[in-house]
Amino acid sequence: MPLSNASELVADQPTKRVVHHSCPLCEASCGLQITVEGDRVTGIRGDSEDPLSRGAICPKGVALGDLHHDPDRLREPIRRTESGWEPIGWTEALDLVASRFRSIQATHGPDAVAFYRGNPTSHNFEVLLFLSDFVAALGSRNNYSPISMDVLPHLVVASSVYGHQGLMPVPDLDRTRFMLVLGGNPLVSQSSMMRTPGFRQRITAMQGRGGRLVVVDPRRTETAKFADQHVFVRPGTDALLLAAMLHVIFDEGLAKPGRLAEFTDGLDAVEQAVRPWSPQRVAEATSVPAATIQSLARELASAESGLVYGRMGLSVQAYGVMCNWLINVLNLVTGNLDRPGGVMLPAPALDPVENGILPKWTLGQWTSRVRGLPNFGHELPVATFADEILTPGPGQIRALMTLAGNPVLTTPDGPRLERAIGQLDFFVSVDCYINETSRHADLILPPVSALEHDHYDLFYNRLAVRNVAKWSPRVFDPPPGALDDWQILNGLTRRLARGPKQKISAFLKGRIGPRRILALGLRRGRSGITLKQLEASEHGFDLGPHEPSLPELLQTPDRRIAAAPPAFLEDLSRLEALLEPESPDGMDLLLIGRRELRSNNSWMHNLPRLMKGRARCTLLVHPDDAEVRGLTDGATACVRSSRGEVVVPVEVSDEVMHGVVSLPHGYGHVGGGLRLSVASERPGVNANALTDPEKTDPIAGTAVLNGIPVSVSPVVANEAPR
């Protein structure tokens, strides 16, 4: 072959490069090493030099390139017409949204337009920097998000006990000797409200230094299988267990809050309040033997360092706020709050609490129009979302904007919400897919992909188990004319701004952009690290372990820990109902959710890499429960609740305790109009067709998604469910 031809062949080959980035899919934010050839991602693996993840990665991170290249992902704005979806220019699209919103609000009032933002917005620092301006310009009280079916109890407790919803103590995993996990599965979730990539490695190290991991859960989760001890607990009774542990600690003189005692009010009141809840009294209701409860309390109190961590299984039940409050008190009275090896407050390079990016929120300043559920910050509980659309009267929702959310699949009684959305006067969805929610939109505005914008963990560094800072520049330049989420928000804010102050602020922030705003915030931060330094570091900075700091950071009015908020003490009386639970007729099983390593809520089911292999949307049924009902492995069952029913394949397993069944969340990709070619082939069922939006935690309005009474029966061939 002539040399000139060989040179031409080499020149035609795509340029190969390696980019170090952070995975933006969940709060673990694992460091990635991405190989790119030309305009294609050809490989992704964990970055062993990332200061926090240290090479850890999950299947979702590996599939990030598939998400970027997905042919079903929208690349330009589209609007609904009589002949179907048609492209529309960005300027025309944003003008149309602003015009329709203004018109509807002028006729029906500011609350007639609602806004729902999905989970991915919390992992996008650019959105977080521009979100509050958009909400202010919209001027509506009808704002919703997954917070009220996820982390709301954590936020409400932090606000009440420490004075700010962002002051949530985080497990110091690298130095602890004992960890008690309730209702969480961090080995699969890659942590949650605890940024801990590489959880397995950290727990292995803890066990190597003589420590123990104990998991309390109605299912023998992946984390429970890895633990030193697993304890089954009846769904929804965790508050009884926690109250009984506190009873043991006070009754046996094991309380030792240490130096924090002089900064704390209310411990005497807590001691009196938990006195009735002995291990013997709660054992039958919780299905946890009294001796086991006593052992857990004594081990926590006597550990050289230890902690209690609770997550989704506790948050999305009727006693979610109570559970999270009791966990905070347990960590406090055992001396494990604000000390190495216990739970501590991070000191991020850019602290969104300290610099006001995350303003202080309060609970119950106003309530929802229909059901009187309390607000938290600028949001209402999502459990009343459909009510506000379907109920006529002043303030009825008539228009909606969703941002990176799919509430039809993810909110209580999703089918009812879908019917409600179908009757709106106008609906715009900012989303990269035509999914179960956006298929009803009049207009879909797709932002650039996750690899086409920069990444910095603005909020989740505040929940990291170690202080780190990392800047990840975009892997690809966005296509010409494409807009990022923040540009869409800013464009709408400028069009909807009310008064000169909002207009000027929106204009200036749009000109400055998120990168420069972040740079200014870092310059004012306590670490002294600049964005320029972060840009020069491919892997980021390790800023060291957490240091005791709680008294200085308290934001309660008197700068003291409020260990016994009156509303929480009063709520303990509801525990009486758990001692003799009542089940609806025939609904003798309790439904819980479960997290899947290859799934991320509802929006990554269109990637072949993640959907291959066995079916994962199955109903786990204990062998004894299956035998009584005539169910066999692989058979089909009808699951009924007071709200609805689904038909789903059965997986017989002793992984769940007797009397409990489990169904994963985020499936149900059925119906016309979807552009999800892979997800539609393996749709699964929508677990939220079984959840009841009328069931909430009375303190915060958190949706009850765990411990739902259901009946399960076999589906006979050729027989349709009732």
Side-chain angles (χ1 to χ4, degrees):
M1 177 182 295
L3 182 60
S4 59
N5 289 343
S7 300
E8 288 174 8
L9 286 174
V10 171
D12 288 341
Q13 292 178 352
T15 303
K16 184 175 181 178
R17 57 193 175 101
V18 175
V19 182
H20 292 96
H21 200 69
S22 293
C23 180
L25 299 177
C26 80
E27 61 195 78
S29 194
C30 297
L32 304 178
Q33 182 174 302
I34 304 176
T35 302
V36 178
E37 297 187 34
D39 62 353
R40 304 288 300 182
V41 173
T42 57
I44 298 180
R45 68 182 195 181
D47 178 9
S48 61
E49 296 183 59
D50 184 274
L52 191 62
S53 62
R54 306 169 185 171
I57 192 173
C58 83
K60 295 184 289 293
V62 176
L64 193 56
D66 302 348
L67 181 65
H68 176 75
H69 299 300
D70 189 350
D72 286 341
R73 184 171 65 84
L74 299 175
R75 267 78 171 175
E76 60 181 347
I78 54 175
R79 63 177 166 185
R80 184 186 303 280
T81 70
E82 292 183 359
S83 57
W85 293 107
E86 292 184 357
I88 181 175
W90 276 108
T91 299
E92 184 182 358
L94 297 179
D95 286 344
L96 175 61
V97 174
S99 174
R100 292 301 306 273
F101 282 0
R102 279 203 203 98
S103 174
I104 289 169
Q105 289 181 315
T107 303
H108 302 286
D111 297 336
V113 178
F115 175 57
Y116 177 94
R117 66 179 182 96
N119 174 271
T121 62
S122 297
H123 309 289
N124 186 328
F125 88 94
E126 298 173 336
V127 167
L128 293 177
L129 291 176
F130 284 80
L131 187 62
S132 60
D133 292 332
F134 170 75
V135 170
L138 190 63
S140 173
R141 286 186 170 185
N142 276 309
N143 298 294
Y144 304 88
S145 82
I147 283 176
S148 56
M149 48 186 177
D150 190 338
V151 302
L152 183 55
H154 293 264
L155 303 178
V156 168
V157 170
S159 175
S160 302
V161 175
Y162 309 114
H164 194 292
Q165 76 276 9
L167 297 177
M168 289 175 284
V170 176
D172 185 17
L173 287 191
D174 293 338
R175 293 182 288 189
T176 196
R177 300 292 291 268
F178 176 75
M179 182 179 192
L180 175 61
V181 175
L182 297 97
N185 189 8
L187 201 61
V188 167
S189 68
Q190 305 298 297
S191 318
S192 184
M193 305 306 289
M194 171 183 67
R195 188 181 166 212
T196 319
F199 180 81
R200 179 186 293 271
Q201 291 86 342
R202 284 183 156 87
I203 294 301
T204 298
M206 180 189 76
Q207 293 166 331
R209 57 181 180 266
R212 276 177 28 93
L213 171 66
V214 179
V215 174
V216 176
D217 201 284
R219 181 170 76 92
R220 193 167 60 254
T221 64
E222 292 79 358
T223 304
K225 294 172 185 176
F226 180 62
D228 299 283
Q229 181 182 357
H230 171 231
V231 177
F232 279 125
V233 64
R234 179 180 170 85
T237 66
D238 307 86
L240 285 175
L241 171 65
L242 293 165
M245 288 181 63
L246 273 171
H247 172 100
V248 172
I249 287 169
F250 285 121
D251 188 59
E252 298 184 3
L254 301 176
K256 49 178 183 180
R259 67 182 180 85
L260 291 184
E262 62 178 294
F263 301 101
T264 302
D265 294 325
L267 287 182
D268 289 342
V270 174
E271 181 176 0
Q272 291 294 321
V274 300
R275 185 167 290 174
W277 303 106
S278 67
Q280 293 75 17
R281 190 179 183 211
V282 308
E284 183 178 355
T286 61
S287 298
V288 181
T292 301
I293 299 174
Q294 292 167 331
S295 175
L296 291 175
R298 292 165 184 163
E299 186 170 9
L300 173 66
S302 63
E304 179 182 325
S305 60
L307 61 96
V308 186
Y309 163 80
R311 200 41 207 110
M312 277 292 286
L314 272 62
S315 292
V316 292
Q317 58 170 271
Y319 301 86
V321 170
M322 190 188 303
C323 286
N324 280 276
W325 167 54
L326 293 174
I327 284 175
N328 276 266
V329 177
L330 272 168
N331 285 324
L332 169 61
V333 300
T334 56
N336 288 303
L337 175 62
D338 200 39
R339 80 162 181 177
V343 291
M344 308 185 75
L345 290 175
L350 173 54
D351 188 344
V353 173
E354 190 175 59
N355 65 19
I357 292 175
L358 189 64
K360 185 184 293 188
W361 285 5
T362 54
L363 178 69
Q365 291 178 303
W366 41 276
T367 58
S368 64
R369 176 181 65 104
V370 179
R371 289 170 53 191
L373 297 183
N375 78 301
F376 187 64
H378 60 254
E379 294 188 2
L380 284 170
V382 77
T384 195
F385 191 6
D387 301 322
E388 297 294 331
I389 301 175
L390 293 170
T391 306
Q396 178 185 8
I397 296 174
R398 297 172 180 272
L400 170 66
M401 174 172 156
T402 60
L403 171 63
N406 190 3
V408 163
L409 283 193
T410 56
T411 61
D413 197 354
R416 179 173 181 251
L417 179 62
E418 183 167 23
R419 293 191 296 271
I421 288 176
Q423 73 173 40
L424 291 169
D425 295 341
F426 182 69
F427 172 30
V428 56
S429 177
V430 181
D431 206 291
C432 57
Y433 284 113
I434 303 178
N435 58 30
E436 294 73 22
T437 298
S438 64
R439 64 182 170 189
H440 299 287
D442 299 286
L443 196 63
I444 304 179
L445 310 179
V448 300
S449 88
L451 296 181
E452 291 171 341
H453 64 72
D454 305 323
H455 181 80
Y456 180 85
D457 269 301
L458 181 61
F459 179 69
Y460 289 107
N461 278 342
R462 171 133 277 291
L463 297 174
V465 296
R466 189 174 179 87
N467 294 315
V468 295
K470 182 179 179 181
W471 167 262
S472 297
R474 61 195 184 199
V475 177
F476 297 104
D477 289 331
L483 295 186
D484 208 331
D485 304 76
W486 75 267
Q487 293 172 311
I488 297 171
L489 285 176
N490 183 250
L492 291 174
T493 301
R494 292 171 65 176
R495 289 165 169 83
L496 295 169
R498 302 160 187 263
K501 186 176 180 180
Q502 285 187 357
K503 292 179 183 293
I504 293 171
S505 174
F507 174 77
L508 291 177
K509 286 186 71 172
R511 291 292 298 271
I512 295 172
R515 181 185 170 281
R516 290 170 65 188
I517 295 173
L518 179 68
L520 291 171
L522 285 167
R523 192 177 300 170
R524 297 172 184 160
R526 69 183 73 180
S527 70
I529 290 178
T530 66
L531 180 58
K532 189 173 183 179
Q533 289 174 307
L534 285 177
E535 289 177 322
S537 173
E538 286 186 308
H539 310 286
F541 287 91
D542 183 350
L543 304 179
H546 305 322
E547 299 292 338
S549 60
L550 184 56
E552 296 78 23
L553 295 176
L554 288 171
Q555 294 196 26
T556 49
D558 56 4
R559 300 285 174 173
R560 296 176 64 79
I561 298 171
F568 298 177
L569 287 176
E570 294 171 10
D571 197 42
L572 281 169
S573 63
R574 280 198 303 129
L575 291 179
E576 296 285 349
L578 288 175
L579 297 179
E580 297 182 6
E582 297 181 2
S583 298
D585 290 343
M587 296 182 185
D588 54 348
L589 297 172
L590 293 176
L591 176 68
I592 63 172
R594 71 177 183 268
R595 194 183 289 265
E596 300 284 341
L597 187 60
R598 291 175 172 269
S599 178
N600 190 4
N601 298 324
S602 70
W603 70 281
M604 296 195 73
H605 296 156
N606 206 51
L607 307 182
R609 187 192 304 257
L610 299 181
M611 294 296 287
K612 65 183 179 181
R614 65 177 181 84
R616 284 177 283 275
C617 188
T618 60
L619 183 76
L620 294 184
V621 184
H622 188 274
D624 294 346
D625 296 319
E627 183 178 5
V628 169
R629 290 160 179 79
L631 296 170
T632 57
D633 201 61
T636 303
C638 180
V639 186
R640 294 187 178 92
S641 73
S642 63
R643 205 70 186 187
E645 62 182 46
V646 298
V647 174
V648 61
V650 168
E651 189 174 345
V652 179
S653 172
D654 63 0
E655 185 177 291
V656 289
M657 64 186 291
H658 177 53
V660 174
V661 292
S662 175
L663 195 62
H665 164 83
Y667 289 88
H669 307 289
V670 296
L674 298 177
R675 194 180 296 178
L676 298 167
S677 55
V678 175
S680 297
E681 292 177 358
R682 305 183 75 172
V685 299
N686 182 3
N688 277 316
L690 302 170
T691 55
D692 186 352
E694 297 292 326
K695 307 296 184 183
T696 62
D697 183 327
I699 291 184
T702 315
V704 175
L705 308 177
N706 194 36
I708 301 166
V710 296
S711 66
V712 178
S713 57
V715 174
V716 180
N718 302 320
E719 177 186 359
R722 294 197 305 271

